[in-house]
Amino acid sequence: MPKTLFTTITPLPAGVSRQTVLETLHSHIEMIDLNPAHTERHRINPPPEATPEEYHCAWYQITDTISYLPGYKGKVSFKACFHDLANGLQNHVYAPMGLDIKEKWTLGGNMPGEPVMPAEIGIGAPISGLYLREDVEMKCNFLMTRFVRKTLKDALATLVARLVVKAQLQEAAETNRRLEWGSPPGSPPLSPPSTAGIDGRFPRYKSNRMSTQTAISEMEGSQKSPRSDRYPAELRSDVRLQGPIELP
């Protein structure tokens, strides 16, 4: 069967983060459900025909509802394997009628604040910002090529739309969390209020140790209080003057 190769570049909106994209690509069930024709999917063991590399991938049995003729529908099942990458995902679909599809999803580009890396030329990649790259290799009947390619294109559009919505929901949840702690959006979260004291002040620790001055005073047998030693008689209010004071 003839082989068809094509690459699709899709720039992502600024609000979509790298973490959101990778979490979605690594969610195999979510990626399978991009195609509305998939009506059922579940994990299976690697089939005997799996290659040594694909044997250790995650395998799924997928069921599709297809229309043979107007008014006539049927179900067809096939196997697919998924392999997570550090910056994307690979999957291989073994469909009926000799249809063989290999897809590779790669997250490229940079987020605001990250260094701008040189972009590959000749594929239409944006100079800045994140983008999804989809590399497809498929083998199928010439009459099915157009239909399969349209199906993959629709799945890509659905993926981007879901990424935008997921990013908006995560941003809303983060805003609500910050407001709950009483901090404005975009600022670091505040620490929980202290419960050290009822009045909110720091607790005062009482010390039973006597001061050095008091200890020395008691050892010398002084009858003067620390207050009397600290303030001279002329400045104390508890000393009564007897008559006028003659200055020299």
Side-chain angles (χ1 to χ4, degrees):
M1 289 189 180
K3 180 189 299 185
T4 303
L5 302 173
F6 62 91
T7 299
T8 305
I9 301 295
T10 305
L12 298 176
V16 179
S17 66
R18 186 183 304 274
Q19 180 181 359
T20 300
V21 178
L22 293 178
E23 287 178 354
T24 303
L25 293 178
H26 294 166
S27 177
H28 303 158
I29 297 297
E30 190 170 353
M31 294 297 293
I32 294 174
D33 292 343
L34 292 175
N35 190 339
H38 297 165
T39 57
E40 199 275 334
R41 66 278 188 278
H42 60 273
R43 286 290 301 268
I44 60 172
N45 295 325
E49 63 271 17
T51 63
E53 289 183 333
E54 294 180 347
Y55 181 84
H56 301 282
C57 297
W59 284 84
Y60 294 84
Q61 180 86 15
I62 304 174
T63 301
D64 272 8
T65 300
I66 59 176
S67 299
Y68 297 101
L69 294 172
Y72 293 91
K73 294 184 178 181
K75 292 185 177 181
V76 59
S77 297
F78 55 92
K79 302 178 180 66
C81 65
F82 291 78
H83 175 61
D84 293 339
L85 301 174
N87 62 336
L89 171 72
Q90 283 181 293
N91 70 320
H92 190 179
V93 177
Y94 296 85
M97 301 177 63
L99 176 60
D100 187 277
I101 303 175
K102 292 181 180 180
E103 286 185 283
K104 181 180 178 181
W105 304 79
T106 307
L107 177 62
N110 65 286
M111 293 185 61
E114 296 179 349
V116 179
M117 304 300 293
E120 182 178 351
I121 61 176
I123 61 173
I127 298 179
S128 62
L130 294 179
Y131 64 89
L132 265 180
R133 172 173 177 168
E134 181 189 18
D135 296 299
V136 179
E137 174 186 335
M138 63 180 182
K139 298 177 183 179
C140 63
N141 188 298
F142 176 76
L143 299 177
M144 295 182 59
T145 302
R146 187 173 182 180
F147 170 78
V148 174
R149 189 163 183 171
K150 181 181 182 303
T151 302
L152 296 177
K153 182 179 180 181
D154 293 342
L156 176 60
T158 303
L159 173 61
V160 174
R162 290 183 180 180
L163 288 174
V164 173
V165 174
K166 180 181 289 188
Q168 293 173 347
L169 293 176
Q170 291 179 346
E171 182 180 359
E174 178 67 15
T175 301
N176 292 338
R177 186 181 68 84
R178 293 183 182 276
L179 291 176
E180 183 178 356
W181 288 108
S183 59
S187 62
L190 297 177
S191 301
S194 175
T195 57
I198 299 178
D199 56 357
R201 296 177 298 178
F202 290 99
R204 299 180 179 272
Y205 297 94
K206 296 182 179 180
S207 176
N208 294 327
R209 298 180 181 179
M210 63 176 62
S211 63
T212 304
Q213 182 180 359
T214 305
I216 296 176
S217 177
E218 290 182 359
M219 291 176 63
E220 293 177 352
S222 175
Q223 298 180 356
K224 296 181 181 180
S225 64
R227 179 179 179 86
S228 300
D229 293 338
R230 190 179 303 117
Y231 301 101
E234 290 82 2
L235 301 180
R236 296 205 309 269
S237 60
D238 57 349
V239 178
R240 297 183 180 179
L241 299 177
Q242 302 295 335
I245 299 176
E246 297 181 358
L247 300 177

